[in-house]
Amino acid sequence: MPVDRSFLGVESEDRFIDVEKGQLKLFAMATGESDPAYSSEEAAKARGYRNIPAPPTFVFGLTLQAPAKKGNMIDMVDNVGAVLHGEQEFIYHTMIYAGDRLRLKTKTVDIYEKKGGKMEFIVQDTTVHNQDDVLCLTARTVAIYRN
Amino acid sequence: MSYPDLANLAPEQDLTPHEAGPASRWVLAMFAGGSGDHNPMHIDSDFAKIFGREDVFAQGMLSMAYLAQFVRQQAPQEKLRNFKARFTAITPVNANIKCEGRVLEHVTVDGEPRVRIGLRTSIDDGTVTMEGEAVIATA
């Protein structure tokens, strides 16, 4: 069955998630991070950051940890195992730091097909605001569904 | 931290590559926890076999995290305006990941000078696993 087109334009509820220092440290360890500002609060502050910064792609995992109830990709397809991560984009406005409480909102902005419907593409934009209601970034995910 | 003088790099200039990995099972497990992507396809080889894979393979976002490190070697993170990547091949467990970039062009957006950098990651046999782009403010 093709991707359910009725999800086009659907926007999720607001989801809230905390940026935890411990998780940032684990991310730094897992990726062999060499810059101490990404694991030490002191090193981060010496750099002029107000706390340990979230590295550029960190927010992607937060979107998985705070899944949308409304407009979730898994509800659009029969076989979630056939969904691949095709592309990922981030448009940055303000840095995110440990201790921030983020508000995520995801909208399905496009659903289209290629190869006569054998491959379908789901495009979702997630806006991320911090506790001061400042827009931090927009994350765009393009998922590929193989029929 | 010292950074290249991005504002004065000519188009087609290659940047110093960043070698990362190997993406060992330990790395994949730690990254599952650190990133919050708990998909068992990357950490449980029994699960991967049920879905027809010979073994686990690395999270695509692990390579993008390495590519982000490469981008941060060019300028501090607060200068980064846009970062995108397209996943082109799977990264097998234990692969080494090479991140490379090349200056594409200098642009001005909203009065701010920026540089566009073309990016890619590849693994040991030369297979390109990701192609992307970053836009970095140079002022």
Side-chain angles (χ1 to χ4, degrees):
Chain A
M1 286 281 286
V3 176
D4 184 346
R5 294 292 204 276
S6 71
F7 282 93
L8 182 59
V10 170
E11 203 167 13
S12 78
E13 74 282 11
D14 283 336
R15 297 113 70 197
F16 293 89
I17 190 159
D18 295 317
V19 180
E20 294 175 4
K21 196 190 299 180
Q23 197 181 355
L24 289 173
K25 289 182 178 181
L26 184 56
F27 190 98
M29 183 170 73
T31 55
E33 177 60 57
S34 60
D35 185 342
Y38 287 84
S39 55
S40 153
E41 200 171 332
E42 290 70 33
K45 286 181 174 166
R47 192 74 59 76
Y49 297 142
R50 60 177 157 80
N51 209 321
I52 296 173
T57 62
F58 183 77
V59 156
F60 179 80
L62 296 184
T63 65
L64 299 179
Q65 289 172 87
K69 291 187 183 72
K70 188 179 165 208
N72 195 306
M73 208 174 281
I74 63 172
D75 297 321
M76 303 181 195
V77 297
D78 293 329
N79 175 17
V80 74
V83 176
L84 298 172
H85 195 181
E87 294 175 37
Q88 185 62 41
E89 178 172 10
F90 301 94
I91 299 155
Y92 301 100
H93 302 284
T94 300
M95 297 265 285
I96 294 167
Y97 298 96
D100 282 1
R101 183 167 177 75
L102 303 179
R103 176 167 60 85
L104 315 179
K105 203 175 184 73
T106 302
K107 185 176 185 179
T108 301
V109 295
D110 202 3
I111 301 173
Y112 59 93
E113 62 179 48
K114 282 185 183 171
K115 297 188 178 171
K118 281 186 186 150
M119 292 169 81
E120 292 186 281
F121 295 75
I122 304 167
V123 185
Q124 290 192 318
D125 283 352
T126 299
T127 52
V128 179
H129 289 77
N130 66 17
Q131 60 280 357
D132 299 323
D133 211 31
V134 173
L135 177 63
C136 299
L137 63 84
T138 299
R140 168 165 288 195
T141 298
V142 182
I144 304 172
Y145 185 63
R146 293 172 185 275
N147 277 303
Chain B
M1 301 288 286
S2 67
Y3 300 102
D5 182 14
L6 287 180
N8 291 307
L9 290 184
E12 298 190 28
Q13 170 77 47
D14 288 324
L15 302 163
T16 306
H18 171 52
E19 311 267 359
S24 66
R25 291 171 205 281
W26 182 85
V27 166
L28 303 191
M30 290 298 114
F31 190 73
S35 73
D37 179 352
H38 304 141
N39 186 344
M41 190 61 90
H42 306 298
I43 44 183
D44 182 344
S45 55
D46 298 328
F47 180 92
K49 281 168 189 160
I50 289 169
F51 283 87
R53 296 279 173 192
E54 277 184 23
D55 205 341
V56 294
F57 57 95
Q59 297 93 345
M61 291 306 289
L62 174 65
S63 289
M64 196 166 181
Y66 289 142
L67 197 55
Q69 290 177 339
F70 171 78
V71 170
R72 288 194 288 98
Q73 290 166 4
Q74 316 311 319
Q77 188 178 336
E78 57 270 26
K79 300 282 190 188
L80 183 58
R81 298 291 176 260
N82 189 299
F83 179 37
K84 63 181 173 184
R86 190 167 58 87
F87 302 100
T88 55
I90 282 192
T91 300
V93 62
N94 292 321
N96 291 289
I97 293 142
K98 186 178 188 182
C99 305
E100 297 171 282
R102 171 176 286 187
V103 175
L104 296 178
E105 65 170 344
H106 294 275
V107 294
T108 301
V109 180
D110 300 331
E112 181 182 66
R114 300 179 183 179
V115 62
R116 275 203 319 128
I117 293 173
L119 301 166
R120 73 174 187 188
T121 58
S122 57
I123 53 176
D124 306 79
D125 66 2
T127 301
V128 173
T129 51
M130 203 163 45
E131 291 176 337
E133 195 180 299
V135 179
I136 300 172
T138 54

